[in-house]
């Protein structure tokens, strides 16, 4: 079997499809035949803007789904032929772990088995952001997780602002929190109002209006115990920081680091880390298992998780350059995927 990959030779260089080695998984690793790649904005910023130092040539990509081709000698939970989706751990080095190729190696941790009757593209498109949502709210902040059996949640006396309810991270956050019994305020763009309105938020704010008016509306619906900016661009941070400042300051949870010095109001602190990282900590071992073994597959099967629609980019591995350019220009209300065998 030959392995093909979309390889970036140097910082900001275009990706090129090359034939590369077929890997052998380590003792606690899986070799997965990759059937669907799910794109994330951070990959576009790494490839096109060079925001992170890499060892070149490099194979990027963090989220994918496929069928297990081989397992390491110490693997007991997974077997050849099972369908899985994967989210690569942040900071893991080695081209064998990049998703932009046909055969990928993965450690046997952040891997979720998927039923045969489910389209792999859907859970693959959710995997990274879903693990980050759970890692942030339950792993790091310590909030309760939701029930997925349809039973009504116990209402909690906490109010949470989730800026960006039509984004992948934002929509999953609104569902996770509201289904756990928390009161959620979120923002939306007009074309995605119908989708966001069904996610469970108590209050919606149109973030297409002028930032001053938007901040006033959000502040009027507060105060908030937790503020999360799931977009985390300078324009959105300005609004969410203003909301926190109006209630005396506090922590502003962001989904990406600041790439330039922040000018935040007094008393406001921006916090960022790869939020799924908390799930690798020993005290969150059970939570991590729940995410991949229960929440993702059963949440989708039961309808507890409403995903954004997926849209397939043309060209397979050869089309990744165009797909990453599209991600940088802005993708709203969808999750972009690719078939590496096209």
């Amino acid at each position: 079997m030959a392995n093909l990959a979309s390889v970036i030779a140097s910082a900001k260089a275009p990706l090129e499809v090359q034939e590369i080695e077929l890997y052998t998984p380590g003792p606690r690793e899986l070799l997965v035949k990759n059937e669907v790649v799910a794109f994330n904005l951070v990959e576009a910023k790494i490839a096109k803007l060079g925001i992170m130092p890499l060892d070149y040539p490099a194979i990027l990509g963090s989220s994918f789904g496929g069928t297990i081709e081989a397992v390491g000698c110490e693997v007991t939970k997974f077997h050849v032929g099972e369908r899985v989706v994967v989210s690569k751990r942040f900071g893991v080095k080695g081209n064998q772990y990049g998703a932009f190729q046909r055969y990928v190696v993965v450690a046997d941790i952040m891997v979720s088995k998927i039923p045969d009757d489910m389209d792999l593209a859907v859970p693959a498109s959710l995997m990274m952001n879903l693990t980050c949502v759970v890692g942030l709210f339950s792993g790091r902040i310590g909030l309760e997780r939701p029930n997925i059996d349809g039973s009504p949640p116990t209402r909690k006396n906490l109010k949470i602002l989730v800026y960006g309810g039509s984004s992948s991270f934002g929509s999953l956050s609104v569902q996770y929190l509201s289904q756990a019994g928390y009161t959620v305020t979120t923002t939306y763009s007009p074309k995605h109002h119908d989708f966001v309105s069904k996610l469970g938020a108590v209050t919606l704010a149109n973030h297409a209006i002028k930032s001053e008016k938007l901040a006033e509306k959000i502040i009027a619906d507060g105060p908030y115990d937790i503020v999360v900016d799931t977009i985390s661009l300078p324009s959105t941070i300005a609004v969410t920081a203003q909301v926190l400042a109006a209630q005396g300051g506090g922590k502003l949870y962001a989904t990406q680091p600041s790439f330039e010095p922040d000018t935040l109001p007094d008393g406001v602190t921006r916090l960022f880390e790869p939020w799924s990282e908390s799930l690798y900590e020993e005290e969150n071992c059970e939570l991590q298992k729940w995410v991949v073994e229960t929440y993702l597959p059963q949440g989708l099967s039961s309808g507890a998780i409403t995903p954004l629609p997926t849209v397939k980019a043309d060209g397979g591995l050869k089309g990744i350059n165009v797909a990453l350019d599209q991600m940088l220009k802005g993708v709203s209300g969808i999750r972009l995927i690719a078939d590496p065998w096209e």
Side-chain angles (χ1 to χ4, degrees):
M1 295 183 294
N3 189 16
L4 291 181
S6 188
V7 181
I8 183 168
S10 59
K12 303 181 185 180
L15 282 69
E16 297 181 351
V17 177
Q18 301 176 11
E19 184 170 335
I20 61 170
E21 64 177 314
L22 184 66
Y23 313 108
T24 299
R28 294 187 58 85
E29 295 179 334
L30 317 172
L31 178 66
V32 178
K33 181 182 179 181
N34 188 2
E35 297 166 29
V36 57
V37 174
F39 294 104
N40 302 287
L41 180 57
V42 66
E43 297 152 359
K45 290 185 174 182
I46 292 171
K48 301 296 182 176
L49 304 180
I51 64 169
M52 185 180 299
L54 296 177
D55 296 327
Y56 294 101
I59 300 174
L60 305 177
S62 302
S63 306
F64 67 97
T67 303
I68 297 175
E69 192 79 16
V71 299
C73 60
E74 297 180 14
V75 173
T76 58
K77 295 187 299 182
F78 299 95
H79 302 90
V80 171
E82 290 180 324
R83 302 166 80 241
V84 295
V85 294
V86 176
S87 180
K88 183 178 74 171
R89 186 176 186 178
F90 182 81
V92 168
K93 292 187 176 181
N95 282 344
Q96 67 268 39
Y97 304 112
F100 295 171
Q101 58 188 321
R102 288 182 172 176
Y103 291 92
V104 191
V105 172
V106 60
D108 65 342
I109 299 177
M110 208 66 78
V111 182
S112 181
K113 297 181 185 179
I114 301 303
D116 290 341
D117 60 352
M118 185 179 293
D119 180 4
L120 273 176
V122 176
S125 73
L126 296 177
M127 187 65 169
M128 172 179 277
N129 283 322
L130 191 69
T131 56
C132 287
V133 166
V134 178
L136 169 59
F137 292 113
S138 294
R140 189 60 74 223
I141 299 178
L143 301 185
E144 293 184 23
R145 68 185 78 169
N147 298 320
I148 57 172
D149 58 5
S151 60
T154 302
R155 303 310 303 178
K156 316 297 194 302
N157 191 28
L158 282 178
K159 192 169 188 178
I160 302 170
L161 171 63
V162 176
Y163 191 102
S166 57
S167 69
S168 178
F169 196 110
S171 63
L172 293 170
S173 297
V174 173
Q175 295 175 73
Y176 187 82
L177 295 167
S178 59
Q179 290 170 10
Y182 297 100
T183 301
V184 180
T185 291
T186 194
T187 65
Y188 67 94
S189 58
K191 67 179 179 179
H192 301 307
H193 175 269
D194 289 346
F195 172 76
V196 176
S197 67
K198 299 173 183 177
L199 301 179
V202 172
T203 308
L204 303 179
N206 177 2
H207 62 219
I209 64 176
K210 291 184 178 181
S211 58
E212 296 84 359
K213 295 291 185 183
L214 176 59
E216 289 175 5
K217 175 172 175 49
I218 297 173
I219 291 168
D221 289 329
Y224 305 95
D225 298 282
I226 298 168
V227 175
V228 180
D229 189 330
T230 73
I231 308 301
S232 298
L233 295 173
S235 59
T236 67
I237 290 291
V239 174
T240 48
Q242 186 178 345
V243 171
L244 275 170
Q247 58 185 48
K251 298 174 180 177
L252 175 51
Y253 293 94
T255 55
Q256 61 178 337
S258 176
F259 299 108
E260 55 190 46
D262 272 327
T263 303
L264 298 174
D266 291 342
V268 176
T269 303
R270 177 176 180 156
L271 298 179
F272 167 77
E273 63 180 82
W275 295 116
S276 59
E277 194 65 19
S278 69
L279 300 179
Y280 292 91
E281 297 169 0
E282 186 175 354
E283 60 267 31
N284 289 323
C285 179
E286 191 276 331
L287 180 65
Q288 184 273 331
K289 290 181 180 179
W290 174 79
V291 175
V292 298
E293 296 177 7
T294 302
Y295 187 47
L296 176 60
Q298 293 184 21
L300 282 172
S301 296
S302 68
I305 298 174
T306 300
L308 289 173
T310 59
V311 174
K312 187 168 74 70
D314 294 331
L317 294 175
K318 292 181 180 179
I320 288 181
N321 277 305
V322 174
L324 295 178
D325 286 336
Q326 186 177 347
M327 292 292 292
L328 272 186
K329 290 177 182 177
V331 172
S332 177
I334 63 167
R335 293 288 288 145
L336 198 61
I337 61 169
D339 177 357
W341 295 85
E342 183 178 318

